[in-house]
Amino acid sequence: MTDASQSARADQAAKAAQVKEPAAEETRRTSLGKGGGGSGDPASRGRTTIADGVVEKIAGLAARDVVGVHAMGSGMSRHFGAVRDRVPGGRPDVTRGVKAEVGEVQTAIDLEIVVEYGFSIRDVAGAVRENVISAVERMAGLEVVEVNIAVSDVKLPEDEEEEPESRLQ
């Protein structure tokens, strides 16, 4: 072997060592950072809990968006809700007719709806189910295991509005 070839090999070995050394340091830094608890995926630092009421609001709004849904809740809850809605400063109760059970990663939802006359109850219920599942999974990140729908009434075209008459004149 000539001195020139030995020198060339020595240069290549030195370059290889320089290339490997920073990579090894980088690996050490990365593994120390992940194991040290100070860095890593920020989304995994801590826990997020979602209240039942949050899921109930999302589901209630999503159900009301479906064409063919006249109202939510039973007759009495709608009656009291109409009175409450008329109180100055009162807000509509978007959770009326909605009950949710929320776990860490899953939720189950029960809805009570009033369907407008002329709409297929099966089609309206299917559309409500799809809309609620989509909204809750997208917004809350929870798996919706079931959406149970109870149709409590059908709104007939000639039915009077359910708001109670005011005693004040």
Side-chain angles (χ1 to χ4, degrees):
M1 232 188 236
T2 67
D3 288 332
S5 65
Q6 285 179 345
S7 176
R9 284 192 181 160
D11 288 341
Q12 286 176 347
K15 287 180 184 177
Q18 288 175 350
V19 170
K20 287 181 185 176
E21 191 172 322
E25 278 185 18
E26 185 177 328
T27 303
R28 280 193 300 265
R29 273 189 245 130
T30 304
S31 64
L32 285 176
K34 286 183 182 174
S39 65
D41 182 20
S44 66
R45 293 188 212 165
R47 198 172 98 182
T48 302
T49 57
I50 300 172
D52 293 359
V54 172
V55 173
E56 289 170 356
K57 283 183 179 183
I58 294 168
L61 290 170
R64 283 172 174 78
D65 282 345
V66 175
V67 175
V69 173
H70 173 72
M72 302 284 296
S74 66
M76 286 304 288
S77 71
R78 288 195 324 269
H79 176 72
F80 288 123
V83 170
R84 186 178 46 240
D85 293 348
R86 296 180 78 186
V87 172
R91 293 183 302 184
D93 183 13
V94 296
T95 63
R96 184 183 319 136
V98 183
K99 178 68 180 142
E101 293 180 32
V102 180
E104 288 186 24
V105 295
Q106 295 179 326
T107 185
I109 302 167
D110 296 325
L111 302 171
E112 189 172 0
I113 66 172
V114 176
V115 176
E116 292 181 18
Y117 179 79
F119 287 87
S120 164
I121 292 174
R122 181 178 298 257
D123 292 346
V124 170
V128 166
R129 192 170 282 114
E130 286 179 27
N131 209 32
V132 167
I133 290 170
S134 174
V136 170
E137 287 183 347
R138 178 177 42 84
M139 293 180 68
L142 296 168
E143 177 190 2
V144 179
V145 293
E146 65 181 9
V147 176
N148 300 309
I149 299 173
V151 179
S152 62
D153 202 359
V154 173
K155 167 69 170 79
L156 300 175
E158 63 271 2
D159 284 350
E160 293 179 21
E161 281 302 311
E162 294 145 0
E163 291 188 30
E165 293 181 26
S166 174
R167 297 187 308 177
L168 303 175
Q169 293 190 8

